Structures are given as structure tokens and as C-alpha cells.
């Protein structure tokens, strides 16, 4: 069952700051918070913290009381195994993070490349449209006087034709 920092500090008879110090250096997967945002120490994290705190406590106890026995080979082997597992966990977390970052970089590189290609295409289309618009406006400018003359003469011709023929009179 998870414990708070205060509970673990009371149990190990150390300050809350000592527990907080070791808690902050745990891998992210071993740190949890409850609903109210209180840091909760899961059993795995508790074991790691106890192992780290036990070293100085054992040294202090040996200095004050020579009657206590030192750690056995079995305890040392367990500690080494625990530390190796922790190192392996940290390495796997690092590898996962690096893989994720590599994928993100690759994805963002592709997006930048696509954006640059799209921008180049847009610029080229804009140039073509501008050139086409200039050609079209140039043609319109050169053909306007001709069209005006043609339109004016054709209106005059129509008027003359109508007045000369009087086609609307049937008598």
C-alpha cells in the first residue's frame, strides 16, 4: 500500500527532506501522486529509498554500536541486484525516450519538407497566374482601340441600315 513521505520518514526515523530528496531522484514511473496531489511512495519506490537510506544508517549504527553485525553477502547481493534492475530500468526508459524523440524528429522533418514543397508549388502557381494576367491585360490593352472602332462602326452601320431600309414599315 502506498505511503506518504511523512509516513516513510517516521518509519525510517529520518527527516522528511531526506525522503523527499531520494523520492525526487526516482525514475518517473516510480513516482505517483494521489487525487489531492500528495506524493505517494509505491512499494517499489519504498524499497529503493530504503536501500539508499539504509547505507548511511548502517554506517552510523556501526560507528555507535560495534555489537551489530555487518551486512551479509546475501544482503549485498540483493542490493547489487536491486541497483542493477534500477540501472536497467533507467536505460530502457532512456532508450524509449530517444526512440520517441527520433520518431518525432523524423515526423517533423517530413512535415517541414511537405510544407516547403507546397510553398514552392504555390509560388510557382502565383508566378504563372501573374504572367497569364499580364499577358491577358496586354492583349486587352492592344485590342481595345480596335474593338472601340469596330463597335462604333458597326453601330453606325446598323443605324444606317435601319434608316435606309425602313424595314419596320409594312405599307
Amino acid at each position: 500500500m502506498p505511503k506518504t513521505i511523512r509516513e516513510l520518514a517516521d518509519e525510517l526515523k529520518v527527516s522528511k527532506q531526506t525522503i523527499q530528496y531520494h523520492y525526487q531522484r526516482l525514475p518517473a514511473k516510480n513516482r505517483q501522486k494521489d487525487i489531492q496531489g500528495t506524493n505517494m511512495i509505491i512499494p517499489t519506490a519504498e524499497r529503493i529509498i530504503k536501500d539508499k537510506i539504509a547505507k548511511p544508517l548502517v554506517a552510523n549504527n556501526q560507528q555507535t554500536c560495534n555489537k551489530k553485525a555487518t551486512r551479509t553477502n546475501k544482503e549485498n547481493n540483493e542490493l547489487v541486484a536491486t541497483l542493477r534492475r534500477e540501472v536497467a530500468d533507467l536505460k530502457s526508459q532512456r532508450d524509449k525516450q530517444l526512440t520517441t524523440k527520433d520518431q518525432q524528429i523524423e515526423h517533423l522533418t517530413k512535415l517541414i519538407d511537405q510544407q516547403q514543397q507546397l510553398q514552392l508549388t504555390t509560388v510557382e502557381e502565383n508566378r504563372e497566374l501573374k504572367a497569364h494576367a499580364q499577358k491577358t491585360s496586354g492583349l486587352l490593352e492592344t485590342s481595345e482601340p480596335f474593338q472601340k472602332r469596330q463597335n462604333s462602326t458597326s453601330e453606325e452601320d446598323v443605324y444606317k441600315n435601319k434608316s435606309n431600309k425602313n424595314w419596320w414599315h409594312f405599307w
Side-chain angles (χ1 to χ4, degrees):
M1 179 171 170
K3 297 179 182 178
T4 64
I5 289 176
R6 179 182 302 261
E7 291 170 349
L8 186 59
D10 291 342
E11 181 182 316
L12 296 176
K13 297 178 184 167
V14 295
S15 67
K16 289 188 313 185
Q17 290 85 1
T18 302
I19 301 297
Q20 184 69 30
Y21 174 83
H22 291 291
Y23 179 78
Q24 289 175 348
R25 279 150 185 77
L26 290 174
K29 71 176 186 176
N30 290 332
R31 288 184 273 158
Q32 293 181 350
K33 293 187 182 245
D34 65 1
I35 296 171
Q36 291 123 3
T38 305
N39 292 329
M40 298 304 292
I41 301 174
I42 60 175
T44 307
E46 181 180 344
R47 182 177 31 92
I48 294 169
I49 291 172
K50 281 183 178 180
D51 287 342
K52 289 181 179 183
I53 292 175
K55 289 178 187 178
L57 290 178
V58 168
N60 288 340
N61 288 340
Q62 286 177 350
Q63 290 174 358
T64 58
C65 183
N66 290 329
K67 294 179 182 177
K68 292 187 178 181
T70 60
R71 288 188 170 197
T72 63
N73 283 337
K74 183 179 179 183
E75 290 173 336
N76 286 336
N77 289 340
E78 289 175 6
L79 180 60
V80 168
T82 302
L83 292 174
R84 285 185 178 163
R85 283 192 301 271
E86 186 178 340
V87 168
D89 287 345
L90 291 172
K91 283 182 179 180
S92 68
Q93 283 180 355
R94 181 202 59 202
D95 291 344
K96 287 177 185 177
Q97 289 174 348
L98 288 175
T99 302
T100 302
K101 296 293 180 198
D102 288 345
Q103 290 171 349
Q104 290 172 345
I105 289 170
E106 184 178 334
H107 178 70
L108 290 173
T109 303
K110 286 180 183 179
L111 289 176
I112 289 172
D113 185 45
Q114 290 174 353
Q115 190 267 339
Q116 288 174 344
Q117 290 176 1
L118 181 62
Q119 190 171 6
L120 285 173
T121 304
T122 304
V123 167
E124 184 61 33
E125 288 174 355
N126 285 344
R127 285 182 187 155
E128 290 174 5
L129 286 172
K130 191 174 183 180
H132 181 69
Q134 287 175 348
K135 287 180 185 177
T136 305
S137 67
L139 289 174
L140 288 175
E141 288 175 3
T142 57
S143 66
E144 273 184 25
F146 176 73
Q147 285 179 346
K148 285 182 181 177
R149 276 185 290 151
Q150 187 179 19
N151 286 343
S152 64
T153 55
S154 64
E155 288 174 6
E156 291 172 5
D157 290 342
V158 169
Y159 179 71
K160 285 179 185 176
N161 288 341
K162 287 183 180 179
S163 62
N164 289 342
K165 290 186 179 180
N166 294 329
W167 61 275
W168 59 88
H169 298 286
F170 290 105
W171 17 286

